[in-house]
Amino acid sequence: MEIPTNDRIIVGMDSLDDAGVYQISDDLAIIQTVDFFTPIIDDPYWFGQIAAANALSDVYAMGGIPKTAMNLVGFPLKQMDISILRQIIQGGLDKMKEADVVLIGGHSVEDRELKYGLSVTGFVHPDRILTKKNLSAGDCLVLTKPLGTGVINTAIKGGTASVEVIERVTQLMATLNRDAAEVMLKYRVHACTDITGFGLLGHLAEMIVNAHCGIELNAGNIPILPEAIEYAAMGLLPAGAFKNKAFRESMVEFSPSVNPVLRDLLFDPQTSGGLLICLTREDTDKLIDELNQKGIDEAAVIGNVISAPPGKILVN
Amino acid sequence: MKAIDARGLACPAPVLQTKSAIEAEQLNAVRIVVDNAAAQQNVKRFLESRGFEIALEKDTRGYHVIGKCDATALIQRETAPAAEAGIAKIMVMIATDRIGYGDDELGLKLMVNFIRTLKEMGPDLWRLVFINNGVKLAVRDSAVIPDLKELEDNGLQILVCGTCLTHFDLLEHKQVGETTNMLDIVTAMQLADKVINI
């Protein structure tokens, strides 16, 4: 399919990045992204918050600041009370307020299954856009939220997750990546993405596909929700984790000591996951300290960029 | 061998169906058929976590998981590491949420204190099993959840009777330990060097 383009498009359809970027002037570019999905938890207000946090995240991951948003709604009017939709939209709106984002419109259709999300526009300086490229050997990789939301959402669907775990994971998914992004922008960051549907290894693979470098991960340092390990060992991985694995497995080499459950969890699809920040080694400790001061306690250095083998992820 | 047809079901349904079947009927041989490789992997992993030996097959009907739980293999597997380390394997089985008879309030205090002090057994403490009213110590609102979690984090295997949780309608409120069945409990008793009943 031929996709028209022009010289103002800095990030377009040809890249694997989180959002598109269009240059308006020498010092301003806009970031545009859209994301919506079906409910992952029962509480409509919290689902609204999570869907909004998830949609806004792509702008943060590109180094930008989200400014405006529009609601996207699919709603089964005949089966569901309209008050449910009101609560979802209220959740989304409260999250936008928290992010200093203004809702300026939206569109809804009648749908067999409920869907909610946002289209978001953000600002960024054209010289400060962060993409999935530009990794440099020796850089460190920092992850700002623990993994495991996909497994836990499957356990919730199966009625096996405890009330406390549901609360924990709901809070985690509804947490904006804004604070992490604000801290990140103070340091020498080379690349950034947010961890979502392809899982940690799927998104890391996108960063090194056709690149001249590889990645080395220290599995023991990767933050993972403890319940996710328990549920994954019980066989509660979502089908998406297996799809992600089948798609990118050939790029990953696991050391024999890495537990098979953990291997699969690294492919677990995340909802509103954390930022994956690639930055100079010298800045890494300071970044972690400042993230911790902001209350992002689980941020951790999970690995580093290596020159060889290129295009491979080694998990030790 | 019990056969379960979980074709047409999305994850996690095949695992949940297998789980309820082996827990309700205490099966030691089971064959599950599913319609995709992801569900096959999940069911395999679940059965492995419950001590089953697994064989996988694929044919025109779908993806099969055959699980067999061989009690002697289980004993051999479990005995070796502890014996090497020179550890006395102590199993503590708790069938009540209070210690002794008389004053209930005192009995509860004693139980809380007992569980908090259990860690003094060190690596000799090998299994902690909750059955009957004891399961109430492992569910929401129990005062000893943090202590039990600490024990579990330190590698202690905590088993909580599934039949008992179901009886008290507490299955969804379990906060710590693995849901277990009578076969696991009896096997653990057989493997333990010492069983202490409370």
Side-chain angles (χ1 to χ4, degrees):
Chain A
M1 207 182 295
E2 195 186 324
I3 295 165
T5 183
N6 69 41
D7 56 10
R8 286 187 176 268
I9 293 173
I10 306 176
V11 180
M13 289 288 286
D14 52 346
S15 83
L16 297 170
D17 281 296
D18 299 310
V21 184
Y22 184 91
Q23 182 157 6
I24 291 182
S25 65
D26 286 347
D27 56 5
L28 181 66
I30 55 165
I31 302 175
Q32 287 183 286
T33 178
V34 58
D35 211 329
F36 60 100
F37 45 63
T38 54
I40 34 172
I41 54 162
D42 290 335
D43 186 307
Y45 176 72
W46 280 96
F47 168 59
Q49 289 203 39
I50 292 166
N54 183 67
L56 293 166
S57 179
D58 286 331
V59 177
Y60 295 124
M62 301 288 295
I65 297 165
K67 293 290 182 186
T68 62
M70 296 202 184
N71 278 338
L72 300 166
V73 177
F75 194 76
L77 261 178
K78 292 185 188 78
Q79 289 95 44
M80 269 186 205
D81 194 278
I82 194 78
S83 68
I84 293 174
L85 180 57
R86 221 170 278 134
Q87 291 177 63
I88 292 172
I89 288 176
Q90 187 63 54
L93 204 54
D94 285 354
K95 203 38 70 176
M96 287 179 241
K97 267 188 214 156
E98 187 188 327
D100 293 320
V101 167
V102 193
L103 182 70
I104 54 169
H107 185 69
S108 56
V109 293
E110 197 171 340
D111 199 338
R112 250 182 288 173
E113 200 171 16
L114 201 163
K115 297 179 187 78
Y116 175 66
L118 303 178
S119 114
V120 184
T121 301
F123 288 178
V124 66
H125 191 288
D127 300 335
R128 300 220 57 189
I129 298 163
L130 295 172
T131 66
K132 295 181 183 177
K133 297 187 193 76
N134 304 323
L135 283 76
S136 163
D139 283 354
C140 287
L141 297 165
V142 171
L143 179 64
T144 66
K145 281 187 190 180
L147 302 177
T149 60
V151 178
I152 291 176
N153 288 336
T154 310
I156 294 175
K157 268 189 214 157
T160 38
S162 69
V163 179
E164 283 77 7
V165 176
I166 297 174
E167 268 173 28
R168 170 86 215 279
V169 79
T170 301
Q171 291 278 354
L172 188 70
M173 292 186 292
T175 301
L176 286 173
N177 279 328
R178 180 187 55 183
D179 289 354
E182 276 175 12
V183 172
M184 157 179 92
L185 292 177
K186 297 182 191 172
Y187 296 94
R188 284 170 285 178
V189 174
H190 289 152
C192 181
T193 187
D194 58 345
I195 305 303
T196 52
F198 292 122
L200 175 68
L201 288 175
H203 289 285
L204 283 172
E206 288 179 337
M207 297 178 102
I208 54 159
V209 71
N210 302 323
H212 297 293
C213 57
I215 283 170
E216 190 174 29
L217 290 184
N218 184 343
N221 287 354
I222 300 172
I224 299 177
L225 295 165
E227 295 81 3
I229 300 173
E230 184 190 327
Y231 297 147
M234 272 180 61
L236 291 176
L237 278 160
F242 294 96
K243 279 187 203 143
N244 291 340
K245 190 176 172 187
F247 183 43
R248 293 296 191 186
E249 203 170 19
S250 61
M251 291 177 69
V252 184
E253 282 175 23
F254 290 102
S255 133
S257 63
V258 181
N259 177 312
V261 172
L262 183 60
R263 294 179 192 202
D264 291 348
L265 264 172
L266 300 182
F267 284 107
D268 183 42
Q270 303 297 288
T271 301
S272 190
L275 295 182
L276 192 278
I277 304 167
C278 170
L279 79 169
T280 62
R281 182 176 292 273
E282 301 80 60
D283 283 1
T284 302
D285 287 347
K286 282 179 278 175
L287 174 88
I288 294 281
D289 278 350
E290 203 175 334
L291 287 171
N292 290 162
Q293 279 166 26
K294 284 264 188 180
I296 304 166
D297 298 327
E298 283 170 281
V301 185
I302 61 167
N304 50 281
V305 180
I306 50 179
S307 53
K312 286 273 179 204
I313 303 169
L314 313 180
V315 185
N316 300 316
Chain B
M1 188 186 297
K2 167 90 175 177
I4 298 170
D5 187 348
R7 287 174 299 176
L9 298 175
C11 289
V15 165
L16 298 175
Q17 215 175 354
T18 309
K19 181 169 181 279
S20 51
I22 66 165
E23 281 169 7
E25 303 171 41
Q26 300 188 358
L27 302 170
N28 54 15
V30 63
R31 171 190 281 269
I32 301 102
V33 56
V34 293
D35 60 13
N36 66 84
Q40 187 189 35
Q41 284 300 313
N42 270 333
V43 171
K44 166 178 178 271
R45 183 155 292 162
F46 168 72
L47 287 173
E48 279 173 348
S49 76
R50 297 298 163 100
F52 282 76
E53 298 282 349
I54 303 299
L56 299 179
E57 284 173 12
K58 187 173 177 252
D59 63 18
T60 50
R61 290 178 58 225
Y63 297 79
H64 301 257
V65 183
I66 299 106
K68 284 182 185 151
C69 189
D70 177 349
T72 46
L74 227 138
I75 290 167
Q76 280 163 1
R77 204 164 54 232
E78 300 229 353
T79 322
E84 277 164 25
I87 295 169
K89 290 181 293 173
I90 299 177
M91 166 171 164
V92 176
M93 186 154 91
I94 299 180
T96 164
D97 60 347
R98 287 170 170 77
I99 288 190
Y101 303 98
D103 190 294
D104 272 357
E105 198 182 328
L106 175 65
L108 183 62
K109 265 190 203 166
L110 291 174
M111 179 57 85
V112 169
N113 203 359
F114 174 76
I115 288 187
R116 290 193 176 146
T117 315
L118 262 183
K119 61 173 177 282
E120 302 305 325
M121 282 191 186
D124 286 352
L125 181 59
W126 173 72
R127 291 279 190 281
L128 183 55
V129 181
F130 292 105
I131 61 166
N132 208 324
N133 230 9
V135 300
K136 291 179 181 169
L137 293 163
V139 300
R140 200 172 56 167
D141 300 332
S142 154
V144 291
I145 294 298
D147 307 276
L148 292 174
K149 282 196 169 153
E150 192 187 327
L151 286 167
E152 197 172 43
D153 288 345
N154 290 331
L156 175 66
Q157 196 176 1
I158 299 178
L159 302 174
V160 187
C161 162
T163 310
C164 314
L165 286 169
T166 310
H167 177 82
F168 294 118
D169 204 13
L170 289 170
L171 202 54
E172 283 174 20
H173 300 299
K174 180 176 69 85
Q175 295 294 306
V176 67
E178 294 167 33
T179 308
T180 191
N181 56 44
M182 202 48 91
L183 180 63
D184 282 347
I185 296 175
V186 170
T187 309
M189 280 178 162
Q190 193 177 0
L191 294 171
D193 293 324
K194 195 187 280 178
V195 178
I196 298 172
N197 283 301
I198 301 290

